Structures are given as structure tokens and as C-alpha cells.
Amino acid sequence: MATMTKGSADAHMPSDVRPGLGWFDRFADRASRFFSQAWFFAFCVLLVVVWAPSFFVIGNLDTWQLIINTLTTIVTFLMVALLQNSQARSDAAVQDKLNAIADALAHLMSSSTRDTPELDKEITELRQAVGLEDRESSSS
């Protein structure tokens, strides 16, 4: 009977995840929490409300538009990089958990194949669907 060991070259398990985060990951996590607050959205709305009448102070339409376009482009560019880091780590954590669930389910199904031999096909399909592969075989 084939059994799964923790993880494979392609599939990571929760136990494979490093416990600590690097400085950039910690910074991106804090930034993600900061940018997702309701008060930050309110601040952005207030900024636009303050910027709109600033035309009368600046006087030049091109300069007035260039200021807001440049500021929003820079801030958006930086926020996307930080939020993408947080999202990628979140996606990887979810995938690791799904791998662990699929591995446990495949192991449970493997132990039941003695009673129900037709489960072999479902076990193979489950492992292929989530990218888990047998790394070693043993007889019990």
C-alpha cells in the first residue's frame, strides 16, 4: 500500500513553512492592515476633497492635474507591491493547508482500500488534483 510522507518536491505542508517572517514580509503585513482600515479610505476621500478646490490656489489646470496624477500613481504603485506580497503569502498558506488536508484524506482512503478496492482510483485522482505525489511506498 502506498503512503504519503509529509510534502513532496512540488507540494508544501504547513510543517514546511518557516515560523518567522523577514523584515519586508512584516512590513508588507503591517501596510496591508493599515491600508485596509476604514479610516484610511476616509483619509483618501478627504484628500480628494481638499485637492479639488486647490485649483484656485494653483491656478494652472495642467499643474493641478499633474500633482494628483503623480501622487496617486506613486502611492498606487507602492501599495500594489506591498499588497501583492501579503496576498501571495496568504495564498501559499491556504495551499499548504489544503495540501495537508488532501494528504490526510489520501492516507485515510489508502488505509480503507483493503475493504473497498475501488478507492484506489479516487486516491490517485485526489493526489493528481492537488499535486501530491507518492514519495515512498511501504507495505503494511
Side-chain angles (χ1 to χ4, degrees), residues 26-57:
R26 288 191 308 272
F27 175 73
D29 188 51
R30 283 189 215 111
S32 177
R33 282 186 264 138
F34 176 80
F35 295 137
S36 65
Q37 300 292 322
W39 65 266
F40 180 76
F41 177 78
F43 171 75
C44 291
V45 170
L46 178 66
L47 189 62
V48 170
V49 168
V50 168
W51 166 79
S54 71
F55 171 74
F56 300 109
V57 175

CSV table of all heavy atoms in Angstrom, one decimal, residues 26-57:
chain,number,residue,atom,x,y,z
A,26,ARG,N,7.1,41.4,7.1
A,26,ARG,CA,6.5,42.0,8.3
A,26,ARG,C,6.0,43.4,7.9
A,26,ARG,O,4.9,43.8,8.3
A,26,ARG,CB,7.4,42.1,9.5
A,26,ARG,CG,7.7,40.7,10.1
A,26,ARG,CD,8.4,40.9,11.5
A,26,ARG,NE,9.6,41.6,11.4
A,26,ARG,CZ,10.8,41.1,11.1
A,26,ARG,NH1,11.0,39.8,10.9
A,26,ARG,NH2,11.9,41.9,11.0
A,27,PHE,N,6.8,44.2,7.2
A,27,PHE,CA,6.4,45.5,6.7
A,27,PHE,C,5.2,45.4,5.8
A,27,PHE,O,4.2,46.2,6.0
A,27,PHE,CB,7.6,46.2,6.0
A,27,PHE,CG,7.2,47.5,5.5
A,27,PHE,CD1,7.0,48.6,6.3
A,27,PHE,CD2,7.1,47.7,4.1
A,27,PHE,CE1,6.7,49.8,5.8
A,27,PHE,CE2,6.7,48.9,3.6
A,27,PHE,CZ,6.6,50.0,4.4
A,28,ALA,N,5.2,44.5,4.9
A,28,ALA,CA,4.0,44.4,4.0
A,28,ALA,C,2.8,44.0,4.7
A,28,ALA,O,1.7,44.4,4.4
A,28,ALA,CB,4.4,43.3,2.9
A,29,ASP,N,2.9,43.1,5.7
A,29,ASP,CA,1.7,42.7,6.5
A,29,ASP,C,1.2,43.9,7.3
A,29,ASP,O,-0.1,44.1,7.3
A,29,ASP,CB,2.2,41.6,7.5
A,29,ASP,CG,1.0,41.0,8.2
A,29,ASP,OD1,0.0,40.7,7.6
A,29,ASP,OD2,1.0,41.0,9.5
A,30,ARG,N,2.0,44.7,7.9
A,30,ARG,CA,1.5,45.9,8.6
A,30,ARG,C,0.9,46.9,7.6
A,30,ARG,O,-0.1,47.5,7.9
A,30,ARG,CB,2.7,46.6,9.4
A,30,ARG,CG,3.0,45.9,10.6
A,30,ARG,CD,4.0,46.7,11.5
A,30,ARG,NE,4.9,45.7,12.2
A,30,ARG,CZ,6.2,45.5,11.9
A,30,ARG,NH1,6.8,46.3,11.0
A,30,ARG,NH2,6.9,44.7,12.5
A,31,ALA,N,1.5,47.1,6.5
A,31,ALA,CA,1.0,48.0,5.5
A,31,ALA,C,-0.4,47.5,5.0
A,31,ALA,O,-1.3,48.3,4.8
A,31,ALA,CB,2.0,48.1,4.3
A,32,SER,N,-0.5,46.2,4.8
A,32,SER,CA,-1.8,45.7,4.3
A,32,SER,C,-2.9,46.0,5.4
A,32,SER,O,-4.0,46.4,5.0
A,32,SER,CB,-1.6,44.2,4.1
A,32,SER,OG,-2.9,43.6,3.8
A,33,ARG,N,-2.6,45.8,6.6
A,33,ARG,CA,-3.5,46.1,7.7
A,33,ARG,C,-3.9,47.6,7.7
A,33,ARG,O,-5.0,48.0,7.9
A,33,ARG,CB,-3.1,45.6,9.0
A,33,ARG,CG,-3.3,44.1,9.2
A,33,ARG,CD,-2.9,43.6,10.6
A,33,ARG,NE,-1.6,43.1,10.5
A,33,ARG,CZ,-0.6,43.3,11.4
A,33,ARG,NH1,-0.9,44.0,12.5
A,33,ARG,NH2,0.6,42.8,11.2
A,34,PHE,N,-2.8,48.4,7.5
A,34,PHE,CA,-3.0,49.8,7.6
A,34,PHE,C,-3.9,50.3,6.4
A,34,PHE,O,-4.8,51.1,6.6
A,34,PHE,CB,-1.6,50.5,7.5
A,34,PHE,CG,-1.7,52.0,7.4
A,34,PHE,CD1,-1.8,52.8,8.6
A,34,PHE,CD2,-1.5,52.7,6.2
A,34,PHE,CE1,-1.9,54.2,8.5
A,34,PHE,CE2,-1.5,54.0,6.1
A,34,PHE,CZ,-1.7,54.8,7.3
A,35,PHE,N,-3.6,49.9,5.2
A,35,PHE,CA,-4.4,50.3,4.0
A,35,PHE,C,-5.8,49.7,4.0
A,35,PHE,O,-6.6,50.3,3.3
A,35,PHE,CB,-3.7,49.9,2.7
A,35,PHE,CG,-2.3,50.6,2.5
A,35,PHE,CD1,-1.2,49.9,2.1
A,35,PHE,CD2,-2.2,51.9,2.8
A,35,PHE,CE1,0.0,50.5,1.9
A,35,PHE,CE2,-1.0,52.6,2.6
A,35,PHE,CZ,0.1,51.9,2.2
A,36,SER,N,-6.1,48.7,4.8
A,36,SER,CA,-7.4,48.1,4.7
A,36,SER,C,-8.4,48.7,5.8
A,36,SER,O,-9.5,48.2,5.9
A,36,SER,CB,-7.3,46.6,4.8
A,36,SER,OG,-6.8,46.2,6.1
A,37,GLN,N,-7.9,49.6,6.5
A,37,GLN,CA,-8.8,50.3,7.6
A,37,GLN,C,-9.8,51.2,6.9
A,37,GLN,O,-9.4,51.9,6.0
A,37,GLN,CB,-7.9,51.0,8.6
A,37,GLN,CG,-6.9,50.1,9.3
A,37,GLN,CD,-7.6,49.1,10.2
A,37,GLN,OE1,-8.6,49.5,10.9
A,37,GLN,NE2,-7.1,47.9,10.3
A,38,ALA,N,-10.9,51.4,7.6
A,38,ALA,CA,-12.0,52.3,7.1
A,38,ALA,C,-11.5,53.7,7.2
A,38,ALA,O,-11.8,54.6,6.3
A,38,ALA,CB,-13.2,52.1,7.9
A,39,TRP,N,-10.7,54.0,8.2
A,39,TRP,CA,-10.3,55.4,8.4
A,39,TRP,C,-9.3,55.8,7.3
A,39,TRP,O,-9.2,57.0,6.9
A,39,TRP,CB,-9.7,55.7,9.8
A,39,TRP,CG,-8.5,54.9,10.1
A,39,TRP,CD1,-8.4,53.7,10.7
A,39,TRP,CD2,-7.1,55.3,9.8
A,39,TRP,NE1,-7.1,53.3,10.8
A,39,TRP,CE2,-6.3,54.3,10.3
A,39,TRP,CE3,-6.6,56.4,9.1
A,39,TRP,CZ2,-4.9,54.3,10.1
A,39,TRP,CZ3,-5.2,56.4,9.0
A,39,TRP,CH2,-4.4,55.4,9.5
A,40,PHE,N,-8.5,54.8,6.7
A,40,PHE,CA,-7.6,55.2,5.6
A,40,PHE,C,-8.4,55.5,4.4
A,40,PHE,O,-8.0,56.5,3.7
A,40,PHE,CB,-6.7,54.0,5.3
A,40,PHE,CG,-5.7,54.3,4.2
A,40,PHE,CD1,-4.6,55.1,4.4
A,40,PHE,CD2,-5.9,53.7,3.0
A,40,PHE,CE1,-3.7,55.4,3.4
A,40,PHE,CE2,-5.0,54.0,1.9
A,40,PHE,CZ,-3.9,54.9,2.1
A,41,PHE,N,-9.5,54.8,4.1
A,41,PHE,CA,-10.3,55.2,3.0
A,41,PHE,C,-10.9,56.6,3.2
A,41,PHE,O,-10.9,57.4,2.3
A,41,PHE,CB,-11.5,54.2,2.8
A,41,PHE,CG,-12.4,54.5,1.7
A,41,PHE,CD1,-12.1,54.3,0.4
A,41,PHE,CD2,-13.6,55.1,2.0
A,41,PHE,CE1,-12.9,54.6,-0.6
A,41,PHE,CE2,-14.5,55.4,1.0
A,41,PHE,CZ,-14.2,55.2,-0.3
A,42,ALA,N,-11.4,56.9,4.4
A,42,ALA,CA,-11.9,58.2,4.7
A,42,ALA,C,-10.8,59.3,4.5
A,42,ALA,O,-11.1,60.4,4.0
A,42,ALA,CB,-12.4,58.2,6.2
A,43,PHE,N,-9.6,59.0,4.9
A,43,PHE,CA,-8.5,59.9,4.7
A,43,PHE,C,-8.3,60.2,3.2
A,43,PHE,O,-8.1,61.3,2.7
A,43,PHE,CB,-7.2,59.4,5.3
A,43,PHE,CG,-6.0,60.2,4.9
A,43,PHE,CD1,-5.7,61.4,5.5
A,43,PHE,CD2,-5.1,59.7,4.0
A,43,PHE,CE1,-4.6,62.1,5.2
A,43,PHE,CE2,-4.0,60.4,3.7
A,43,PHE,CZ,-3.7,61.6,4.2
A,44,CYS,N,-8.4,59.1,2.4
A,44,CYS,CA,-8.2,59.3,0.9
A,44,CYS,C,-9.4,60.1,0.3
A,44,CYS,O,-9.1,61.0,-0.5
A,44,CYS,CB,-8.2,57.9,0.2
A,44,CYS,SG,-6.8,57.0,0.6
A,45,VAL,N,-10.6,59.9,0.8
A,45,VAL,CA,-11.7,60.8,0.3
A,45,VAL,C,-11.5,62.2,0.8
A,45,VAL,O,-11.7,63.1,0.0
A,45,VAL,CB,-13.0,60.2,0.9
A,45,VAL,CG1,-14.2,61.2,0.7
A,45,VAL,CG2,-13.4,58.9,0.3
A,46,LEU,N,-11.0,62.4,2.0
A,46,LEU,CA,-10.7,63.8,2.5
A,46,LEU,C,-9.6,64.4,1.6
A,46,LEU,O,-9.7,65.6,1.3
A,46,LEU,CB,-10.3,63.7,3.9
A,46,LEU,CG,-9.9,65.1,4.6
A,46,LEU,CD1,-11.1,66.0,4.6
A,46,LEU,CD2,-9.3,64.9,6.0
A,47,LEU,N,-8.6,63.7,1.3
A,47,LEU,CA,-7.5,64.2,0.4
A,47,LEU,C,-8.1,64.7,-0.9
A,47,LEU,O,-7.7,65.8,-1.4
A,47,LEU,CB,-6.5,63.1,0.2
A,47,LEU,CG,-5.2,63.5,-0.5
A,47,LEU,CD1,-4.4,64.5,0.4
A,47,LEU,CD2,-4.3,62.3,-0.7
A,48,VAL,N,-9.0,63.9,-1.5
A,48,VAL,CA,-9.6,64.4,-2.8
A,48,VAL,C,-10.4,65.6,-2.6
A,48,VAL,O,-10.4,66.5,-3.4
A,48,VAL,CB,-10.4,63.2,-3.4
A,48,VAL,CG1,-11.2,63.7,-4.6
A,48,VAL,CG2,-9.5,62.1,-3.8
A,49,VAL,N,-11.2,65.7,-1.5
A,49,VAL,CA,-12.0,66.8,-1.2
A,49,VAL,C,-11.1,68.1,-1.0
A,49,VAL,O,-11.5,69.2,-1.4
A,49,VAL,CB,-12.9,66.6,0.0
A,49,VAL,CG1,-13.6,67.8,0.5
A,49,VAL,CG2,-13.9,65.5,-0.3
A,50,VAL,N,-10.0,67.9,-0.4
A,50,VAL,CA,-9.1,69.0,-0.2
A,50,VAL,C,-8.4,69.4,-1.5
A,50,VAL,O,-8.1,70.6,-1.8
A,50,VAL,CB,-8.0,68.7,0.9
A,50,VAL,CG1,-6.9,69.7,1.0
A,50,VAL,CG2,-8.7,68.6,2.3
A,51,TRP,N,-8.0,68.4,-2.3
A,51,TRP,CA,-7.3,68.7,-3.5
A,51,TRP,C,-8.2,69.4,-4.5
A,51,TRP,O,-7.7,70.3,-5.2
A,51,TRP,CB,-6.9,67.3,-4.1
A,51,TRP,CG,-6.4,67.5,-5.6
A,51,TRP,CD1,-5.2,67.9,-6.0
A,51,TRP,CD2,-7.2,67.1,-6.7
A,51,TRP,NE1,-5.2,67.9,-7.4
A,51,TRP,CE2,-6.4,67.4,-7.9
A,51,TRP,CE3,-8.5,66.6,-6.9
A,51,TRP,CZ2,-6.9,67.2,-9.1
A,51,TRP,CZ3,-8.9,66.4,-8.2
A,51,TRP,CH2,-8.1,66.7,-9.3
A,52,ALA,N,-9.5,69.0,-4.6
A,52,ALA,CA,-10.4,69.6,-5.6
A,52,ALA,C,-10.4,71.2,-5.6
A,52,ALA,O,-10.1,71.8,-6.7
A,52,ALA,CB,-11.8,69.1,-5.5
A,53,PRO,N,-10.6,71.8,-4.5
A,53,PRO,CA,-10.6,73.3,-4.6
A,53,PRO,C,-9.2,73.9,-4.6
A,53,PRO,O,-9.0,75.1,-4.8
A,53,PRO,CB,-11.3,73.7,-3.3
A,53,PRO,CG,-11.1,72.5,-2.4
A,53,PRO,CD,-11.0,71.3,-3.2
A,54,SER,N,-8.1,73.1,-4.5
A,54,SER,CA,-6.8,73.6,-4.6
A,54,SER,C,-6.5,74.2,-6.0
A,54,SER,O,-5.5,74.9,-6.2
A,54,SER,CB,-5.7,72.5,-4.2
A,54,SER,OG,-5.6,71.6,-5.3
A,55,PHE,N,-7.3,73.9,-6.9
A,55,PHE,CA,-7.2,74.5,-8.3
A,55,PHE,C,-7.1,76.0,-8.2
A,55,PHE,O,-6.3,76.7,-8.9
A,55,PHE,CB,-8.3,74.1,-9.2
A,55,PHE,CG,-8.3,74.8,-10.5
A,55,PHE,CD1,-7.3,74.5,-11.5
A,55,PHE,CD2,-9.2,75.8,-10.8
A,55,PHE,CE1,-7.3,75.2,-12.7
A,55,PHE,CE2,-9.2,76.5,-12.0
A,55,PHE,CZ,-8.2,76.2,-12.9
A,56,PHE,N,-7.9,76.6,-7.3
A,56,PHE,CA,-7.9,78.1,-7.2
A,56,PHE,C,-6.6,78.6,-6.6
A,56,PHE,O,-6.3,79.8,-6.9
A,56,PHE,CB,-9.1,78.5,-6.3
A,56,PHE,CG,-10.4,78.1,-7.0
A,56,PHE,CD1,-11.2,77.0,-6.4
A,56,PHE,CD2,-10.9,78.6,-8.1
A,56,PHE,CE1,-12.4,76.6,-7.0
A,56,PHE,CE2,-12.1,78.2,-8.7
A,56,PHE,CZ,-12.8,77.2,-8.1
A,57,VAL,N,-5.9,77.8,-5.8
A,57,VAL,CA,-4.6,78.2,-5.3
A,57,VAL,C,-3.5,78.1,-6.4
A,57,VAL,O,-2.7,78.9,-6.6
A,57,VAL,CB,-4.2,77.4,-4.0
A,57,VAL,CG1,-2.9,77.8,-3.5
A,57,VAL,CG2,-5.3,77.7,-3.0
